[in-house]
Amino acid sequence: EIVLTQSPGTLSLSPGERATLSCRASQSVSSSYLAWYQQKPGQAPRLLIYGASSRATGIPDRFSGSGSGTDFTLTISRLEPEDFAVYFCQQYVSSPLTFGPGTKVDIK
Amino acid sequence: EVQLVQSGAEVKKPGESLRISCKDSGYRFTSYWISWVRQMPGKGLEWMGRIDLSDSYTNYSPSFQGHVTISADKSISTAYLQWSSLKASDTAMYYCARWREDIVALDVWGQGTTVTVSS
């Protein structure tokens, strides 16, 4: 089973700042198989990024993904008030699909 | 437009059985996979397994194999997650989501079903 580790656990930032979230895999993950999700309190997760760097339908371009191998990054270029949430990475190179533990982005 | 609508919150006692549902209200239900994801209170996301709606083939996470059953009824565009004997540790939010093989991601999610198991 591929284990995903996310850092930091919590990121405290102000609106307008840049957020950089990390996802590290226990073994190499093809970039095609790495996705990111956003979850706000009381809501279902929402797909942000698939294939490590492709934005899902309707996702603003302030969200971007990058990385390869075992290290992946989600960047939010300028935080908007609605971006304060928890972010999860996910892989599916092989079953079982696994998620990282999440990074909470909260207001400083 | 795909929309997954899940059944309502459940409160059960340990040892009871339960089946929750996930209905597709807007797409060709038979042409993709549905996954189930658990989220325990205050915790992260755990993939439980998935079902291919074209032929009902299922694929479970080892962590959930034997503890739950995933099934579907194509005729009413509905997928199910079932327990035969609930435990207090099954208390959680359960989400269904559409798995897209082409993008290797869960692109549409249901609103979630809260299951509370307490004596």
Side-chain angles (χ1 to χ4, degrees):
Chain A
E1 174 176 320
I2 295 177
V3 176
L4 300 177
T5 304
Q6 291 186 242
S7 62
T10 302
L11 194 53
S12 296
L13 295 168
S14 300
E17 290 193 294
R18 181 184 188 90
T20 303
L21 288 66
S22 173
C23 175
R24 178 163 291 179
S26 60
Q27 58 187 273
S28 185
V29 172
S30 167
S31 59
S32 298
Y33 303 143
L34 195 288
W36 290 92
Y37 300 85
Q38 176 194 65
Q39 187 178 32
K40 297 178 183 179
Q43 296 185 17
R46 176 175 71 147
L47 176 65
L48 293 178
I49 300 286
Y50 63 89
S53 61
S54 297
R55 279 186 297 277
T57 303
I59 302 304
D61 61 7
R62 64 179 180 273
F63 291 92
S64 63
S66 63
S68 63
T70 60
D71 291 299
F72 297 88
T73 300
L74 175 69
T75 301
I76 310 171
S77 58
R78 289 177 57 85
L79 283 163
E80 297 287 341
E82 62 267 29
D83 299 337
F84 292 93
V86 180
Y87 294 85
F88 297 95
C89 56
Q90 167 247 298
Q91 70 76 33
Y92 195 53
V93 172
S94 60
S95 188
L97 179 156
T98 54
F99 293 95
T103 290
K104 182 179 182 180
V105 179
D106 66 14
I107 299 176
K108 188 174 182 180
Chain B
E1 178 186 350
V2 178
Q3 185 174 6
L4 300 177
V5 180
Q6 297 186 228
S7 50
E10 301 276 1
V11 179
K12 292 289 190 178
K13 290 181 166 49
E16 292 186 329
S17 63
L18 175 64
R19 188 176 74 170
I20 62 175
S21 66
C22 169
K23 182 175 175 62
D24 173 10
S25 63
Y27 194 73
R28 292 178 300 159
F29 194 68
T30 58
S31 59
Y32 54 88
W33 295 74
I34 288 286
S35 279
W36 286 94
V37 176
R38 183 176 79 174
Q39 187 167 39
M40 300 179 78
K43 302 298 184 183
L45 305 172
E46 301 173 273
W47 181 75
M48 302 175 72
R50 62 178 186 166
I51 185 164
D52 182 340
L53 301 170
S54 65
D55 61 6
S56 292
Y57 173 81
T58 53
N59 172 213
Y60 293 91
S61 165
S63 299
F64 293 91
Q65 179 87 48
H67 298 288
V68 296
T69 301
I70 296 171
S71 61
D73 184 338
K74 287 190 298 186
S75 68
I76 56 172
S77 302
T78 301
Y80 301 100
L81 178 64
Q82 182 173 338
W83 295 260
S84 60
S85 180
L86 287 160
K87 304 175 183 178
S89 56
D90 293 318
T91 294
M93 176 72 82
Y94 293 88
Y95 295 103
C96 65
R98 181 175 74 165
W99 173 256
R100 289 265 305 273
E101 286 284 350
D102 58 333
I103 63 172
V104 195
L106 298 160
D107 71 332
V108 178
W109 292 67
Q111 83 278 18
T113 296
T114 300
V115 173
T116 303
V117 183
S118 174
S119 56

